Amino acid sequence: MKLEYTDEQRAFRAEVRKWMAENVPAEPLASFDLTREGFEAHRLWERKLNDGRWGMVTWPEALGGRNLDLIRWLIFEEEYYRAGAPTRVNQNGIFLLGPTMMEFGTEEQKSRFLPRMAAGEDIWAQAWSEPGAGSDLAGVSATATLDGDHYILNGQKIWSSRAVFADWAFGLFRAPGSERHKGMSLVLFPLDAPGVTRRPIARMDGELVFAEIFLDDVRVPVANRLGDEGQGWNVCMATAGFERGLLLRSPARYQVAASKLVALYEAHKQDLPASMGERVAQNWMDAEAYALAIYAMCSRLNAGGKIGPESSTNKIFWSEMDIAMTQTALEILGPRAELMPQAPDAGDVGDWLEDYIFALAGPIYAGSNEIQRNIIAERMLGLPRG
Amino acid sequence: MKLEYTDEQRAFRAEVRKWMAENVPAEPLASFDLTREGFEAHRLWERKLNDGRWGMVTWPEALGGRNLDLIRWLIFEEEYYRAGAPTRVNQNGIFLLGPTMMEFGTEEQKSRFLPRMAAGEDIWAQAWSEPGAGSDLAGVSATATLDGDHYILNGQKIWSSRAVFADWAFGLFRAPGSERHKGMSLVLFPLDAPGVTRRPIARMDGELVFAEIFLDDVRVPVANRLGDEGQGWNVCMATAGFERGLLLRSPARYQVAASKLVALYEAHKQDLPASMGERVAQNWMDAEAYALAIYAMCSRLNAGGKIGPESSTNKIFWSEMDIAMTQTALEILGPRAELMPQAPDAGDVGDWLEDYIFALAGPIYAGSNEIQRNIIAERMLGLPRG
Amino acid sequence: MDFAFTEDQQTITQAARDMLLETCTPAGLRKMLEQNQALDAARWATITEMGLPGMLAPEAAGGLGLGLSDFIAIAEAAGYAGLPEPLVELAGVAVPLLAEFHDDRGWLARAAAGEIIAVGHAANPFVTDADIAAALLLGHGNEVHLLAPEAVVLTRQESVDPFRRLFRVDWAPGPETRVAASWGLTAERGALFAAAQMIGLGQRCIDLGVAYAKDRNQFGKPIGSYQAVKHLLASAQVKIEFARPVVYAAAAELDLASLPARARAAHAKIAAGEAADLAARSALQVFGAMGMTWEVDLHFFLKRALALKFAWGTPALHRGTVLSRITSLATGPDATFAAELAR
Amino acid sequence: MDFAFTEDQQTITQAARDMLLETCTPAGLRKMLEQNQALDAARWATITEMGLPGMLAPEAAGGLGLGLSDFIAIAEAAGYAGLPEPLVELAGVAVPLLAEFHDDRGWLARAAAGEIIAVGHAANPFVTDADIAAALLLGHGNEVHLLAPEAVVLTRQESVDPFRRLFRVDWAPGPETRVAASWGLTAERGALFAAAQMIGLGQRCIDLGVAYAKDRNQFGKPIGSYQAVKHLLASAQVKIEFARPVVYAAAAELDLASLPARARAAHAKIAAGEAADLAARSALQVFGAMGMTWEVDLHFFLKRALALKFAWGTPALHRGTVLSRITSLATGPDATFAAELAR
């Protein structure tokens, strides 16, 4: 137990900080969801990261990574968020599919997909959920029908973030006639393939941040299947572990938000009740607790441990913290909380409202918190299944 | 909608207040759970109430009541709690069994039991739960076997408050071989009958506030059955409605507690963070909200309405309010919160700790809050049964 | 003591509620947005014909001469329907204020007849519906000034709720615009009727969630049969059940203008805001990702609730009022009703 | 940067934990109460033989010369076991304080060898275990005084937790009793180790609740198969999971004595107190009425958690420390660790 960085770790932080200071765009990039231009600007940023070997620091050096341990990954993320660097347009690829492919992919798949993913040449979307299969992912009905050395994909996928402009997607499909967890395969398909139609879905605030994908006799080679035939559920669960557990939710993100919240409180505290300070302190403590828990988890993983059902505790904690934190900000803003950032008198409302709306999705996506609590109860505590 | 008492209602309040001022014992009575003396002192208080026709003001005049509407009942309760009058040792009788008997009892039963109940001559205990049947009351296994014009009662009952010194009990029994909601009867039995054994159960703080009742071939006449043979479940549910809905939980009790909490806060506020005032304000608001909701409910009932599943919303609200309120008191007391009232330096800790421990039972008894939420979801909101 | 609506009250509320639910549908709301309409002229005509804007105006001004209790459940129904037109603000806030003026310059009768009067009170940084107002009541220090639309400059401030038409109003006070020395109970009436709307909004969110939970299947059965979903919605319903009577009581008591009456309105605003917030978030959780979309109607109600929670005084401000009531006046079971404390 | 216990730490913790769980059973606790024992002599002898009281004492005083991180998980295990003897207060609070004295008058070695030293710090109104102490460290203004049992008068103050032996201590300071000018980090160490015990207490409550939920049937199946019961216990476990690392971090950082280090200890105390409270109440709800009884073991842990929540500084006090840390020093992802902020 030594809660102090080594000199090497400190030097690494300085290196990241210097690179970010020199490279992070001064102005925020345009949204990657709204326009092709914004999307391509983010792709360029992925390329720039990759050129500096900052694309995915935990990846092997041969793939443009630095083969770093998770503590350095945390330091990298801390500096990334501290610098206000752009959101990773390829997070579905580098954080979810990449690690899954390293575990389950063939050598051919790794060399075909990973370097292009790292370089931002392929931007990936996720195609798991379906209108009839949300929390119950084993209820997917989209099919992959074997036809020689090809699959014919049919069905509808939903909640595919980035899918409107992305290049590739990975999705869960089932053999016709198979049921529930059996007979599923994880299949990769290009989003510009014949038979693929993409439609953006508007969020409640009008932002287009999700998409639907319709698949109508889409042909892809069998070599695009990740993992064995019929093993899609297991592969998918491994990916879900990455999603809710760690990689998509680095603590730095919440610590930056907590710092902003402290600043917001300081700016308005003369008009606020004393209890608001206690709420802000609680939000900050939560962000710290999350960071400490992740540092402890990364220390354990570095020593050879595995992520287990505690990734479900992470998911519940960050999603509830995110709501609590953004709610405090709205309380501080009071009657200005309802303002959109473009309102002429928005002042310092910033993105808190959008962050709140996004936070409201936290207990829903990546496995609803109800499902996560079931997992904790059954797999951590050993309670009987319903 | 007129939130103002009539002159008659005000005069009634004055009358109650005067009587209480003249009659409420200056010193609190000894516990009715610990000693026969304390129990009998409370019985005397019941007699005194009955002598003044204050035993149960909503009962018919022929039974020693005043036939008052529910608004006057609320006023009576307000003055009762305001005066710090003793807890009703016969609450199982007058608040639960009494109304049930008026609805389901024969004329013979009414004249045999109600006047004695009103006069405190019979103090009643409840004998519903069993060690294997708590939230699942339909799981009771104690039996009433018909033998000519008698029942032979066998089994074990638990959580029977007052049973150690009470005279009579009413309990749920089933015909041998019957299952679940069918074949149950509500049977009244004297607690000094041959074959009845009573054992006090210690609460976590050492107080003896519950009892177990063991029944070993206890013979009671069939005339002691309340309601029809096999209709025990329906009779019992009516009683449970009284229990969780209204009669046992008059708002005055919480309003008196909220007032005490305000006083406790005022006495200590120089040492407390500002947020404690907001917590106290919240607790007070909850007690007011409960009172207003009950006034609204009583107005509706006076106009001929019925209590429905909203009694479940009452039960959840008062039980959670009670915990929140007593928790605030413990927070104010801080490191003195753990003191027992007999500690020499207890100062003004009062009964808050015991009240807190009692409050912790609130979400459990009279149908756990989990069961109440099921009822609200299924009967108020119309969601499908599990 | 009678904590129930009279038959007359129930009749007029039911008529208003039926009309609002029939004319104001989510599909209709979507159409208004597409066509960038601030007001549905046909509905507003019906509202006006029913005499709703003038309910609280004296009969001499063409009103119905009724009180806050008569209008409170209609405000709740307006929330339930997600009504975009400023009926509640006009009938519940502007009209009672105009009725208090020594000289209303004829505006009370015009308001009672359905002309929209925007109210710029200091509790709110912006003025709602200023662009469709026939006149504006604006604050200068404690004073109330009455301005013609031509005499002000409006800057639209986009709200997350597209039906909340917020404006910064630039204007200059003068001796001729001054109509009253103070706002009276305007802030409290604003808070009270915002609370009533939030009760309606919260109940609508629960009802939408319940309907979806009955319909949507996961793991082979309706999600509404899972205890986790049931308990989410049941807990929200409990919050509503214990906020609604506070709102009704506040309506019955507010005209007393005493600290207990004002604290009740504050309590109503806090409790209704929390209930609506919990109901909206619980319903959203039930809808899952669908609830996050523009396609599902839930957001109309969720966003209105979010905005109203902070309008007409923040929860923190109202908590302060409650705290001063309990620390300066009697509490306890004989101190529940403001009318009794005023004796 | 390594946020994991070393192998040595794991070994000694495991040995201590095994010993505590084996020797300190609920049945044993009941027996001690029946016999009115303050201390189980055999267990205390084992504890002393293992060197636990002197873990944080320097080797020169017969201790093991270890640090707070080495003892923190043992304090957690003491909470889990519901240990009635004052091991945590002795090893974690009294010994480090004695070790800071210019002249400990031989008491450090005696404490390290298992003689009980009661600590009367101003954070607590009463002194625990004063009746079985070989000496008492008491406060006079900021000063620390060392008193012999004969020189004080004790008045027992009954706690809801019968194993919490609280006393008012009446005594008179003199030049000869004064041993130090200040208490150093005593209050923070007290809070830290109370937090560690509460993590153990909370986890024990959850484990008891889980065991009962597997066993108890209602409506034909184990109550632990109902979502409502599952989610109660799962939510409590989440609280524990995000309080425990804070406690461990506080142990690793406290010796820095900086504001970030003290704020971490404050955070640990708040978070562990809330986690233990939620765990205890959730387990109680699972046990139902049985959990309210003296017969079921849950109350031993629930009552200890209740008492420790307010010992060594109330949540309100600790929140104040956290607030002053975040408003006076840097926050953010590069400001997590106290050691880095001290550079």
Side-chain angles (χ1 to χ4, degrees):
Chain A
M1 182 88 57
K2 192 171 174 59
L3 303 190
E4 215 170 321
Y5 298 108
T6 62
D7 287 341
E8 289 71 24
Q9 286 167 338
R10 290 191 190 109
F12 174 71
R13 180 188 293 281
E15 188 188 351
V16 181
R17 187 171 294 189
K18 181 163 176 290
W19 191 89
M20 292 292 163
E22 289 165 358
N23 289 280
V24 168
E27 289 296 310
L29 304 182
S31 159
F32 46 51
D33 285 318
L34 280 184
T35 61
R36 170 61 73 183
E37 291 65 39
F39 190 87
E40 294 303 326
H42 281 80
R43 188 198 296 272
L44 282 180
W45 169 249
E46 292 289 328
R47 283 199 187 136
K48 186 182 262 191
L49 281 168
N50 192 52
D51 292 345
R53 286 204 301 131
W54 299 115
M56 193 51 190
V57 293
T58 58
W59 282 23
E61 295 189 17
L63 292 166
R66 292 170 181 245
N67 201 26
L68 297 185
D69 66 16
L70 288 171
I71 299 295
R72 290 200 197 205
W73 171 71
L74 285 170
I75 294 170
F76 172 77
E77 289 279 302
E78 287 166 6
E79 292 302 318
Y80 192 92
Y81 277 98
R82 216 182 140 273
T87 305
R88 305 295 298 266
V89 68
N90 209 11
Q91 59 190 15
N92 290 309
I94 52 178
F95 295 144
L96 301 185
L97 181 61
T100 312
M101 194 175 274
M102 290 181 211
E103 195 174 337
F104 293 94
T106 62
E107 289 310 311
E108 184 272 334
Q109 286 173 328
K110 291 184 203 172
S111 62
R112 179 153 61 109
F113 290 113
L114 292 175
R116 291 180 56 83
M117 182 190 291
E121 283 165 35
D122 294 337
I123 307 287
W124 287 82
Q126 198 190 87
W128 284 352
S129 295
E130 297 182 6
S135 288
D136 180 12
L137 204 54
V140 298
S141 62
T143 51
T145 309
L146 204 55
D147 178 27
D149 57 356
H150 277 70
Y151 284 118
I152 317 288
L153 308 180
N154 277 290
Q156 181 187 353
K157 294 291 181 179
I158 198 168
W159 317 127
S160 303
S161 27
R162 305 306 92 77
V164 173
F165 301 115
D167 307 295
W168 279 81
F170 53 100
L172 200 55
F173 296 87
R174 62 169 60 260
S178 67
E179 280 190 358
R180 306 293 302 162
H181 306 81
K182 289 176 187 162
M184 288 201 274
S185 296
L186 194 79
V187 181
L188 320 176
F189 59 97
L191 282 162
D192 58 358
V196 173
T197 310
R198 307 176 244 179
R199 188 176 78 87
I201 304 174
R203 195 169 63 181
M204 64 166 80
D205 56 357
E207 294 291 316
L208 301 169
V209 297
F210 318 111
E212 282 178 296
I213 303 175
F214 300 87
L215 299 114
D216 183 14
D217 284 340
V218 177
R219 281 181 75 82
V220 295
V222 168
N224 281 14
R225 189 190 65 228
L226 187 61
D228 291 339
E229 171 83 34
Q231 290 302 304
W233 180 258
N234 295 337
V235 182
C236 171
M237 284 300 100
T239 315
F242 296 124
E243 181 176 18
R244 63 173 180 260
L246 183 59
L247 293 174
L248 269 188
R249 290 290 170 167
S250 68
R253 167 180 181 159
Y254 300 107
Q255 292 182 294
V256 167
S259 280
K260 284 186 189 160
L261 190 59
V262 172
L264 187 71
Y265 165 71
E266 292 272 24
H268 294 274
K269 78 175 156 191
Q270 70 286 355
D271 305 320
L272 296 170
S275 61
M276 201 62 84
E278 296 187 21
R279 279 183 68 163
V280 172
Q282 184 63 53
N283 296 140
W284 177 82
M285 284 191 279
D286 287 344
E288 290 285 295
Y290 186 66
L292 295 171
I294 298 294
Y295 264 93
M297 179 186 271
C298 288
S299 296
R300 198 166 55 68
L301 294 176
N302 274 350
K306 282 247 172 207
I307 298 194
E310 71 270 29
S311 66
S312 291
T313 68
N314 289 356
K315 205 251 141 161
I316 289 171
F317 193 82
W318 66 246
S319 60
E320 294 184 347
M321 161 173 71
D322 203 9
I323 290 177
M325 205 178 265
T326 49
Q327 272 181 328
T328 304
L330 299 189
E331 295 275 344
I332 293 174
L333 295 170
R336 289 189 305 131
E338 66 176 302
L339 291 184
M340 303 291 276
Q342 69 266 30
D345 296 355
D348 63 353
V349 304
D351 296 323
W352 287 113
L353 178 68
E354 191 186 348
D355 291 347
Y356 172 67
I357 289 172
F358 181 68
L360 290 177
I364 294 168
Y365 73 93
S368 76
N369 284 13
E370 285 74 27
I371 299 287
Q372 305 303 338
R373 286 195 166 86
N374 287 352
I375 293 174
I376 294 168
E378 292 164 14
R379 298 192 212 157
M380 277 181 84
L381 303 179
L383 288 169
R385 282 171 160 273
Chain B
M1 181 89 58
K2 191 170 173 59
L3 303 191
E4 215 171 323
Y5 298 107
T6 61
D7 287 339
E8 289 72 23
Q9 287 166 337
R10 290 193 190 108
F12 175 71
R13 180 188 295 281
E15 187 188 353
V16 182
R17 187 171 294 191
K18 179 163 177 289
W19 191 89
M20 292 293 162
E22 288 164 0
N23 289 280
V24 169
E27 289 294 308
L29 305 182
S31 160
F32 47 53
D33 284 319
L34 280 185
T35 62
R36 168 61 72 183
E37 291 65 37
F39 191 86
E40 293 303 328
H42 280 80
R43 188 197 297 272
L44 281 180
W45 170 249
E46 293 290 329
R47 284 202 186 135
K48 185 180 264 191
L49 281 169
N50 192 52
D51 291 346
R53 285 205 304 132
W54 299 114
M56 192 51 189
V57 293
T58 58
W59 281 23
E61 296 188 17
L63 292 167
R66 292 170 181 245
N67 201 26
L68 298 185
D69 67 16
L70 288 171
I71 298 295
R72 291 203 196 203
W73 171 71
L74 284 171
I75 294 170
F76 172 78
E77 288 280 302
E78 287 166 5
E79 291 302 317
Y80 193 91
Y81 278 98
R82 217 184 138 273
T87 304
R88 303 297 296 268
V89 69
N90 208 11
Q91 57 188 17
N92 291 307
I94 50 178
F95 296 144
L96 300 185
L97 181 61
T100 312
M101 194 174 274
M102 290 181 210
E103 193 173 338
F104 293 95
T106 63
E107 288 311 311
E108 184 273 333
Q109 287 173 327
K110 290 183 203 172
S111 63
R112 179 151 61 109
F113 290 113
L114 292 175
R116 293 181 55 83
M117 182 189 292
E121 285 164 34
D122 294 336
I123 307 287
W124 286 81
Q126 194 190 89
W128 283 353
S129 295
E130 298 182 6
S135 287
D136 180 12
L137 204 55
V140 299
S141 63
T143 53
T145 310
L146 205 57
D147 178 24
D149 57 356
H150 277 70
Y151 284 118
I152 318 288
L153 307 181
N154 277 290
Q156 181 186 352
K157 293 291 182 181
I158 197 166
W159 317 128
S160 303
S161 24
R162 307 303 93 79
V164 173
F165 302 115
D167 307 294
W168 278 81
F170 52 101
L172 200 55
F173 297 87
R174 62 169 62 259
S178 67
E179 279 189 0
R180 307 292 304 162
H181 306 82
K182 290 176 187 162
M184 288 200 274
S185 295
L186 194 79
V187 182
L188 320 175
F189 59 97
L191 281 163
D192 59 359
V196 172
T197 310
R198 307 177 246 179
R199 188 176 77 85
I201 304 174
R203 195 170 60 181
M204 64 165 81
D205 56 357
E207 295 291 317
L208 301 170
V209 296
F210 318 111
E212 281 177 299
I213 304 175
F214 300 87
L215 299 117
D216 183 14
D217 283 340
V218 177
R219 280 182 76 85
V220 295
V222 167
N224 282 14
R225 189 191 64 229
L226 186 61
D228 291 338
E229 170 84 33
Q231 291 302 305
W233 180 258
N234 296 337
V235 183
C236 171
M237 284 301 101
T239 316
F242 295 124
E243 180 176 21
R244 63 174 181 259
L246 184 58
L247 294 176
L248 268 189
R249 290 290 169 168
S250 69
R253 166 178 182 163
Y254 300 107
Q255 292 182 297
V256 167
S259 280
K260 284 188 189 159
L261 190 60
V262 172
L264 187 71
Y265 165 71
E266 292 272 24
H268 294 274
K269 76 175 157 191
Q270 70 287 355
D271 305 320
L272 297 169
S275 61
M276 202 63 83
E278 296 188 20
R279 277 183 69 163
V280 172
Q282 184 62 54
N283 296 140
W284 177 82
M285 284 191 279
D286 288 344
E288 290 286 294
Y290 186 65
L292 295 171
I294 298 294
Y295 264 93
M297 181 185 270
C298 288
S299 296
R300 199 166 55 68
L301 294 176
N302 274 351
K306 283 247 169 206
I307 297 195
E310 70 271 29
S311 67
S312 291
T313 69
N314 289 357
K315 204 255 144 160
I316 288 171
F317 193 83
W318 65 246
S319 59
E320 294 184 347
M321 163 173 71
D322 204 9
I323 291 178
M325 205 178 264
T326 50
Q327 272 181 329
T328 303
L330 299 190
E331 296 274 344
I332 293 174
L333 295 170
R336 287 188 307 130
E338 67 176 301
L339 291 185
M340 302 291 276
Q342 69 267 31
D345 295 356
D348 63 352
V349 305
D351 295 324
W352 287 112
L353 179 67
E354 191 185 348
D355 292 346
Y356 172 68
I357 289 172
F358 181 69
L360 290 177
I364 294 168
Y365 74 91
S368 75
N369 285 12
E370 285 74 26
I371 299 286
Q372 305 303 339
R373 286 195 167 85
N374 288 352
I375 293 174
I376 294 167
E378 291 164 15
R379 298 193 213 157
M380 278 181 85
L381 302 179
L383 288 170
R385 285 174 157 272
Chain C
M1 176 65 59
D2 186 18
F3 200 149
F5 290 111
T6 62
E7 250 179 75
D8 280 357
Q9 287 170 331
Q10 290 178 40
T11 306
I12 187 165
T13 296
Q14 191 59 49
R17 187 181 161 87
D18 289 348
M19 178 274 294
L20 290 171
L21 282 177
E22 196 184 306
T23 62
C24 184
T25 62
L29 292 177
R30 288 171 192 278
K31 207 162 168 191
M32 285 178 72
L33 287 180
E34 275 162 29
Q35 304 179 345
N36 199 23
Q37 284 182 321
L39 188 138
D40 179 307
R43 180 165 56 236
W44 193 250
T46 309
I47 286 171
T48 302
E49 277 158 31
M50 287 180 76
L52 302 182
M55 274 181 71
L56 307 192
E59 294 181 29
L64 303 182
L66 297 172
L68 300 175
S69 287
D70 301 290
F71 186 63
I72 195 75
I74 296 176
E76 184 184 345
Y80 191 89
L83 185 71
E85 291 84 19
L87 167 64
V88 177
E89 293 73 12
L90 179 63
V93 182
V95 161
L97 174 59
L98 286 164
E100 283 170 4
F101 290 170
H102 180 69
D103 173 13
D104 66 40
R105 304 184 188 180
W107 282 103
L108 178 57
R110 294 177 67 174
E115 288 195 52
I116 291 167
I117 315 292
V119 177
H121 185 279
N124 304 309
F126 304 111
V127 184
T128 50
D129 300 293
D131 60 333
I132 53 170
L136 299 92
L137 294 166
L138 301 170
H140 179 66
N142 286 330
E143 298 170 358
V144 189
H145 289 248
L146 194 148
L147 278 285
E150 310 79 56
V152 303
V153 178
L154 304 183
T155 309
R156 175 79 186 255
Q157 309 288 333
E158 291 81 2
S159 163
V160 66
D161 177 354
F163 294 107
R164 297 254 308 162
R165 308 175 64 82
L166 306 179
F167 297 87
R168 184 182 77 225
V169 180
D170 292 307
W171 63 287
E176 75 293 351
T177 60
R178 184 179 176 284
V179 282
S182 89
W183 287 88
L185 288 173
T186 299
E188 288 79 2
R189 283 189 291 256
L192 169 66
F193 287 114
Q197 289 178 81
M198 288 194 287
I199 295 292
L201 289 160
Q203 189 64 59
R204 182 65 173 267
C205 290
I206 292 176
D207 291 354
L208 289 170
V210 166
Y212 187 75
K214 287 180 185 172
D215 195 51
R216 165 88 170 167
N217 282 280
Q218 292 277 275
F219 303 100
K221 53 182 185 174
I223 60 171
S225 59
Y226 291 97
Q227 227 178 6
V229 170
K230 283 183 183 175
H231 289 197
L232 261 181
L233 293 167
S235 297
Q237 189 65 49
V238 172
K239 276 267 193 200
I240 299 270
E241 295 299 320
F242 288 88
R244 192 185 277 120
V246 182
V247 174
Y248 292 171
E253 296 182 329
L254 187 55
D255 284 339
L256 289 167
S258 59
L259 179 54
R262 289 185 293 113
R264 185 85 79 207
H267 177 181
K269 181 79 189 337
I270 296 165
E274 288 180 357
D277 180 55
L278 185 69
R281 289 191 290 113
S282 301
L284 181 63
Q285 187 69 16
V286 170
F287 271 97
M290 283 311 300
M292 293 296 298
T293 66
W294 181 262
E295 231 170 286
V296 158
D297 300 326
L298 180 65
H299 65 88
F300 289 121
F301 308 96
L302 182 148
K303 294 187 295 196
R304 182 77 45 87
L306 190 156
L308 288 181
K309 184 173 178 185
F310 300 112
W312 295 105
T314 61
L317 178 102
H318 291 302
R319 271 179 212 289
T321 303
V322 173
L323 188 57
S324 79
R325 182 249 175 272
I326 64 174
T327 53
S328 66
L329 297 173
T331 59
D334 59 338
T336 308
F337 296 101
E340 300 304 310
L341 287 161
R343 286 171 62 89
Chain D
M1 176 63 59
D2 186 19
F3 200 149
F5 289 112
T6 62
E7 249 178 74
D8 280 357
Q9 286 170 331
Q10 291 179 39
T11 306
I12 186 164
T13 297
Q14 191 59 50
R17 187 181 162 87
D18 289 348
M19 179 274 293
L20 290 170
L21 282 178
E22 197 184 304
T23 63
C24 183
T25 62
L29 292 177
R30 289 171 191 279
K31 207 163 169 189
M32 284 177 72
L33 287 180
E34 277 162 26
Q35 303 179 346
N36 199 22
Q37 284 181 323
L39 186 137
D40 179 306
R43 180 166 55 235
W44 192 250
T46 309
I47 285 172
T48 302
E49 277 158 32
M50 286 180 77
L52 302 182
M55 275 182 71
L56 307 192
E59 294 180 30
L64 302 182
L66 297 172
L68 301 175
S69 286
D70 300 292
F71 185 64
I72 195 77
I74 295 176
E76 183 183 344
Y80 191 90
L83 186 72
E85 291 84 19
L87 167 63
V88 176
E89 293 72 12
L90 179 63
V93 182
V95 162
L97 174 59
L98 286 164
E100 283 170 2
F101 290 171
H102 180 67
D103 173 14
D104 66 40
R105 302 181 188 181
W107 281 102
L108 178 56
R110 293 176 66 173
E115 288 194 51
I116 291 166
I117 315 291
V119 177
H121 185 280
N124 304 310
F126 304 111
V127 183
T128 50
D129 299 293
D131 60 334
I132 53 170
L136 300 91
L137 294 166
L138 301 170
H140 179 66
N142 286 329
E143 298 171 357
V144 188
H145 290 247
L146 194 148
L147 277 286
E150 309 80 53
V152 303
V153 178
L154 304 183
T155 309
R156 176 78 186 253
Q157 310 287 333
E158 291 80 2
S159 164
V160 66
D161 176 355
F163 294 106
R164 297 253 310 163
R165 306 174 64 81
L166 306 179
F167 297 88
R168 184 182 76 226
V169 180
D170 292 308
W171 63 289
E176 74 296 349
T177 61
R178 185 180 176 285
V179 282
S182 89
W183 288 89
L185 289 173
T186 298
E188 288 80 2
R189 282 188 292 255
L192 169 66
F193 287 114
Q197 288 179 81
M198 288 194 286
I199 295 292
L201 288 159
Q203 189 64 58
R204 182 65 172 268
C205 290
I206 292 176
D207 291 355
L208 288 169
V210 165
Y212 187 74
K214 287 180 186 173
D215 197 50
R216 166 88 171 168
N217 282 280
Q218 291 278 275
F219 303 100
K221 54 182 185 172
I223 60 171
S225 59
Y226 291 97
Q227 227 179 7
V229 170
K230 283 183 184 177
H231 288 196
L232 262 181
L233 293 168
S235 297
Q237 188 67 49
V238 172
K239 276 267 194 202
I240 298 270
E241 296 298 321
F242 288 87
R244 193 186 276 121
V246 182
V247 174
Y248 293 171
E253 296 182 330
L254 187 55
D255 285 339
L256 289 168
S258 59
L259 178 55
R262 288 185 294 114
R264 185 86 78 207
H267 177 182
K269 180 81 190 332
I270 296 166
E274 288 180 357
D277 180 54
L278 184 69
R281 288 192 291 113
S282 301
L284 181 63
Q285 187 69 15
V286 170
F287 271 96
M290 283 308 302
M292 292 296 299
T293 66
W294 181 260
E295 228 170 286
V296 157
D297 301 325
L298 180 65
H299 66 88
F300 289 120
F301 308 96
L302 182 148
K303 293 189 294 197
R304 182 78 46 86
L306 191 154
L308 288 181
K309 183 172 178 185
F310 300 112
W312 294 107
T314 61
L317 177 101
H318 291 303
R319 272 179 210 286
T321 304
V322 172
L323 190 57
S324 77
R325 182 251 173 273
I326 65 174
T327 53
S328 67
L329 296 173
T331 59
D334 58 340
T336 308
F337 296 101
E340 300 302 310
L341 288 161
R343 284 170 62 86

